[in-house]
Amino acid sequence: FASYYGDHMVLQKKPSGAVVWGHGELGAVVTVILSGAGGLIIMEKTAQVKGPSGTWTTVLDPVDQGGPYALTAEQGLENVTLWDIYFGDVWLCSGQSNMAMTVLQVANASQELAMASRYPYVRIFAAAPARSDVELEDLERIDLPWSIPTAENLGHGNFTYFSAVCWLLGRSLYEALGSPIGLVEVAWGGTPIEAWSSRRVLQACGLPEDTGRHIWVGKEGEEGPQSSLWHDACFNLKPAFTSPHQHLSGPQTPSVLWNAMIHPLLNMTLRGVAWYQGEDNTLLHTDQYNCTFPALIADWRRAFHAGSAGQTEQLLPFGFVQLSTYRRRSADDSFARLRWHQTADLGVVPNAKMPSTFMAVAMDLGDEHSPYGSIHPRDKQNVAHRLLLGARAVAYGDKDLVFQGPYPTRAILEVTRGLLNVTYSQELICRQRDAQAFEVCCSSQAALCQWL
C-alpha cells in the first residue's frame, strides 16, 4: 500500500467509492479484499500494476458508514492486511501556522486533551512538512500515521501535530453526524498560497512560477525563510529587500508544497477541505489573492475529482477561516485587503466565483496577548464551531441553519435627518450601543472612497 496507509484509517463512505492504491511488481495483478466481522468477505477487486511508477489503483464499491473492516492486498504469495478500518467522511485540513497550531496550544488545552479518548471513531493522520520541485506520487514522510486520538498525538508540540482547528472541526462533525470522521492534516507555517498552488493556478493568475526571494531580518540580523515558525513569530517585520534574481527559498517557493504535500494525496476520496492560510500573503502578492484563492479551490477540486476516478465530487465543499485581526489600530491595511480578497472581493461566500464554499469569520477572535504572537489567536474552538455551521449548511445541505453573519441588503441615506438607514438580512441584537460602531466608505468615485 502507499506508505501513508495504515491501521485505524477512515475511508470515504457511500455514496462515493473509496479509492485504494499501492505499489507492486510491474504487470502483476493485485487482488484487494475487504472483509468484515469474522473474516466475512464483503467485496473483492483486482487491479494491474502499471508503469512507470509501479502502482495499482482500485475503486471500492460504496460502503455504508461503520466498521471495523480489514483490507487485504494480495500479489502472488505476498499479502498486506490493514485492520480496524472504518468508513465515514474524510476531511483534508491545510494551510499555514494557524492550521498547524496543535491542540496543546489552544485555550482550554488540558481539557481538550483529556477528552481525546472519547472520540475513538475520529481518526487522525498528519503528513510531514515537505517540499519538492517536481510533482511527487507519494509523500516523502509522515509525522503521524493513521491513529486513534490520544492526548499525546493531539498535543505533540508547538506547530507540529495535531492541528487544533482540524481536530475541533472533526470531533464536532462526529458529534453532529454520528459518522466516523477521518482527518488528514497537511500544513506548514509561514507559507504563501503560491507554494500550495499548481503551475496552472500561477499561470491563470499571471504570477511568475519562480519569484524573488524574501529575506527576513531578525534582531540578531539572522535570516530565516527556512524557519517558517520563526518567520510567523516575527511577522511584523517587512521584507528587507526582494531581488528578482534570487529565489523565494524553502517552503515559500511557488508550487513546492503542491508538489510534495497535495499531489501525492490526489487519489484520496474526500468529503471536504478546511483551509486556514493568508497571513503570508499580506506580504506577498496581496492584491492577487482574489485570483489565486478561487483558482486554487477550483484547481484542487478538478485534481481531486480526476485523481479519485470521479469519486471526490466536482464541487468538493471547501471551508476556510477568514483572517483574524492581527494588531489593533494598525495603520497597515494589508490584513483588511486580504480578508476582502478571501471572498473574491464579493464580501460573502458562497458566491458565483466561489460556489460550495463556506467561511468562518474570525475578526472578533483576535488575541493580542497570545504567547505565540498576536498572529496566532488561541481561541480555535469558535473558529471550528463556525466552520462546523458552514459545513453543515454547505457540505451537508442543512437548509434551516444560520451559518453567515448579518449582511446589509439595503442602505438609504436620509440627508435631512443626517441618518444612514441600513437594513440587514437578519435580526441584529445590539449588546452595546457605540457611536463608533460602524464605518462607511463615502465617495462619488468608488476607487477613492474614504472611511468615516
Side-chain angles (χ1 to χ4, degrees), residues 69 73 75 87 129 154 177 223 261 280 363 366 372 402 416 437:
Y69 294 93
Q75 175 193 282
F87 284 82
L154 286 178
L177 305 169
E223 53 184 74
M261 297 177 78
D280 236 51
M363 280 189 70
Y372 312 105
V402 177
T416 51

Side-chain angles (χ1 to χ4, degrees), residues 212-337:
R213 180 183 183 209
H214 284 172
I215 305 285
W216 307 95
V217 180
K219 289 179 189 137
E220 278 75 50
E222 73 268 47
E223 53 184 74
Q226 297 284 358
S227 169
S228 49
L229 303 183
W230 179 94
H231 155 67
D232 263 13
C234 302
F235 202 84
N236 54 320
L237 303 172
K238 289 287 186 194
F241 66 87
T242 305
S243 159
H245 305 298
Q246 291 176 294
H247 302 305
L248 264 172
S249 70
Q252 297 180 321
T253 312
S255 299
V256 292
L257 306 185
W258 158 265
N259 290 341
M261 297 177 78
I262 301 299
H263 193 266
L265 301 176
L266 294 180
N267 292 128
M268 293 187 88
T269 310
L270 296 180
R271 186 66 183 84
V273 176
W275 173 261
Y276 196 156
Q277 192 277 335
E279 298 88 347
D280 236 51
N281 288 96
T282 63
L283 297 173
L284 177 72
H285 300 144
T286 306
D287 291 319
Q288 279 78 46
Y289 205 88
N290 58 2
C291 178
T292 47
F293 188 37
L296 174 135
I297 294 171
D299 187 63
W300 281 25
R301 283 172 169 166
R302 274 195 303 271
F304 276 101
H305 180 69
S308 64
Q311 297 304 308
T312 295
E313 62 181 285
Q314 281 179 300
L315 278 181
L316 173 66
F318 197 109
F320 63 94
V321 184
Q322 185 190 51
L323 290 195
S324 182
T325 41
Y326 169 41
R327 286 254 161 83
R328 287 170 203 260
R329 299 184 184 84
S330 168
D332 183 3
D333 69 346
S334 59
F335 268 66
R337 293 205 322 274

